[in-house]
Amino acid sequence: MKVMLSDFKELMQKDNMVEIKLLKKDHPDWTIVTQPYDEKEPSAFFAELKDVDALITAFLPINKMILDAAPRLKLISISAVGYEKVDLKMAQKRGVRVCAIGEYCTQDVAEFTISLMFALVKRLKQYDRLVVEKHRWEYDAFMAQPRLSRMTLGIFGYGRIGAAVAKMAVALGMRVIAYSHHITAGTIKDNVEFVSEEELLAKSDIISNHMRATTENYHFFNADIFKKMRQKKPYFINVSRGETVDETELLSAIDNGMVRGAALDVLESEPPALVNNPLLQRDNIIISPHAAFYSQDSMAMLQRISCQNVTSFFEGRDEKVFNFVDQY
């Protein structure tokens, strides 16, 4: 029995001893390997993959090429909530089960979202550069902003994370409006008013994206959507999935004054090309490396659940596997 932990080399955890200990606790005879995936030189990855029974990964695109190279593979345990990078139909055709993690970082992502909101509105990046790089001590170097309690937060996608962000924003005294495919406009729930897409775009001072990555949501935030933000010129936050935002059109919207600034924890391509990336050249754009989920508590849950899914599956206890997501 062989289990491999793998991800892109840029995204791979530096230490997988927690997972190794969890997997070997009741199965000391199992072989556990850690193997980063190097897109430029993937031979070591494919050499290890050929006799793997279970793969634990968060970001690898599980496609025909990888499945062809893993004839013994029986389970893919996704160390994340999202599993859109897995070709589920192809996995099903090969008889490979796929499970993901339904909940482990809601609180962390919500806290990070609120942190980004504060950083944007309070201009923390600009002030830091003003002092550190330009050695200027001027509180009024930038236009003063309203208090958050006078601002309206618009939330796209009202799942667990969107609801947690809304709760925190309401506690700050903000007006919170939301758009969801599943809740009728005009509904008021938990001090949140559900509105149409057009109303949210027109009335929000800050827009936070928490939608899932689906075919329908690909580049949802595009030129047409950004044009509808012109009335308020909001700040834009994305801690959901990079594919939902057309980054070229976001830059254009910022340049043309339709969006005041942006905070992005996710980008269209991950790991992204960072050298000469135009997103990194702006004082009013904050970029973080897909870190919103990352905390001591979330990592402990992530490691435990993804490993427990593997052990439960191979012990024949499918009922203990959390969140099968394949098409059986």
Side-chain angles (χ1 to χ4, degrees):
M1 170 68 187
K2 180 177 176 180
V3 182
M4 182 163 78
L5 296 97
S6 181
D7 257 309
F8 291 105
K9 65 176 185 177
E10 298 90 345
L11 303 175
M12 189 88 173
Q13 288 185 100
K14 296 179 177 63
D15 185 350
N16 292 104
M17 285 308 301
V18 171
E19 290 97 327
I20 293 171
K21 289 178 181 178
L22 286 168
L23 291 165
K24 280 188 166 287
K25 180 181 178 183
D26 295 321
H27 299 279
D29 57 320
W30 284 7
T31 299
I32 316 298
V33 297
T34 59
Q35 178 60 57
Y37 178 67
D38 185 341
E39 289 183 282
K40 296 180 180 178
E41 183 48 65
S43 56
F45 169 82
F46 284 109
E48 288 286 5
L49 188 64
K50 65 183 180 181
D51 58 350
V52 160
D53 298 281
L55 173 64
I56 299 177
T57 185
F59 303 106
L60 289 186
I62 308 300
N63 50 28
K64 184 178 185 297
M65 180 176 66
I66 286 180
L67 290 168
D68 282 346
R72 284 180 46 177
L73 187 64
K74 302 175 184 66
L75 179 73
I76 301 168
S77 180
I78 305 298
S79 293
V81 174
Y83 49 89
E84 66 275 0
K85 294 185 181 297
V86 181
D87 186 332
L88 294 178
K89 289 184 178 180
M90 185 62 66
Q92 181 186 35
K93 184 177 179 180
R94 303 298 174 83
V96 179
R97 301 299 311 262
V98 182
C99 55
I101 297 175
E103 159 56 29
Y104 75 102
C105 63
T106 294
Q107 184 72 10
D108 307 284
V109 177
E111 289 175 359
F112 203 90
T113 303
I114 297 297
S115 299
L116 293 175
M117 183 174 69
F118 272 112
L120 281 173
V121 174
K122 302 301 181 182
R123 301 184 185 274
L124 298 187
K125 181 176 181 178
Q126 287 105 316
Y127 276 125
D128 181 71
R129 286 187 168 181
L130 183 73
V131 174
V132 174
E133 297 178 9
K134 300 180 180 179
H135 302 155
R136 292 168 55 189
W137 193 260
E138 301 172 30
Y139 69 86
D140 57 353
F142 311 108
M143 185 181 295
Q145 298 291 293
R147 292 173 177 166
L148 281 170
S149 59
R150 289 181 49 213
M151 302 179 84
T152 296
L153 171 65
I155 296 175
F156 270 97
Y158 201 78
R160 284 188 297 264
I161 294 173
V165 170
K167 183 178 179 180
M168 294 179 186
V170 168
L172 291 170
M174 300 182 73
R175 179 193 178 204
V176 180
I177 59 178
Y179 171 74
S180 171
H181 292 298
H182 309 293
I183 302 177
T184 305
T187 301
I188 297 177
K189 178 181 179 182
D190 301 326
N191 295 310
V192 176
E193 179 185 352
F194 289 84
V195 299
S196 67
E197 175 185 307
E198 289 72 19
E199 185 175 354
L200 188 148
L201 293 169
K203 294 185 176 180
S204 299
D205 299 295
I206 304 163
I207 292 176
S208 189
N209 174 35
H210 301 282
M211 297 189 302
R212 293 178 59 189
T214 64
T215 303
E216 295 76 17
N217 289 339
Y218 179 76
H219 280 189
F220 175 88
F221 292 96
N222 54 32
D224 290 337
I225 290 292
F226 290 126
K227 285 177 184 176
K228 295 177 182 179
M229 299 181 186
R230 285 178 294 188
Q231 181 175 332
K232 280 283 196 173
K233 300 179 179 61
Y235 292 102
F236 178 74
I237 298 172
N238 186 20
V239 295
S240 178
R241 287 292 184 267
E243 303 95 311
T244 61
V245 179
D246 185 324
E247 292 171 3
T248 301
E249 296 297 345
L250 172 61
L251 280 170
S252 177
I254 290 173
D255 287 342
N256 290 298
M258 291 179 282
V259 175
R260 200 176 303 270
L264 309 173
D265 184 54
V266 288
L267 297 179
E268 285 190 64
S269 175
E270 293 186 21
L274 296 176
V275 177
N276 298 322
N277 189 318
L279 292 169
L280 275 61
Q281 314 304 319
R282 311 299 180 95
D283 280 347
N284 57 348
I285 299 180
I286 298 171
I287 308 289
S288 52
H290 205 144
F293 75 97
Y294 189 57
S295 74
Q296 293 179 356
D297 304 275
S298 66
M299 289 304 296
M301 288 187 67
L302 179 74
Q303 293 162 329
R304 176 178 58 80
I305 296 172
S306 60
C307 291
Q308 186 60 54
N309 280 345
V310 174
T311 56
S312 295
F313 177 80
F314 285 97
E315 289 170 356
R317 299 185 297 147
D318 283 9
E319 73 281 0
K320 296 291 185 180
V321 175
F322 189 82
N323 201 26
F324 275 120
V325 295
D326 50 40
Q327 298 181 355
Y328 283 82

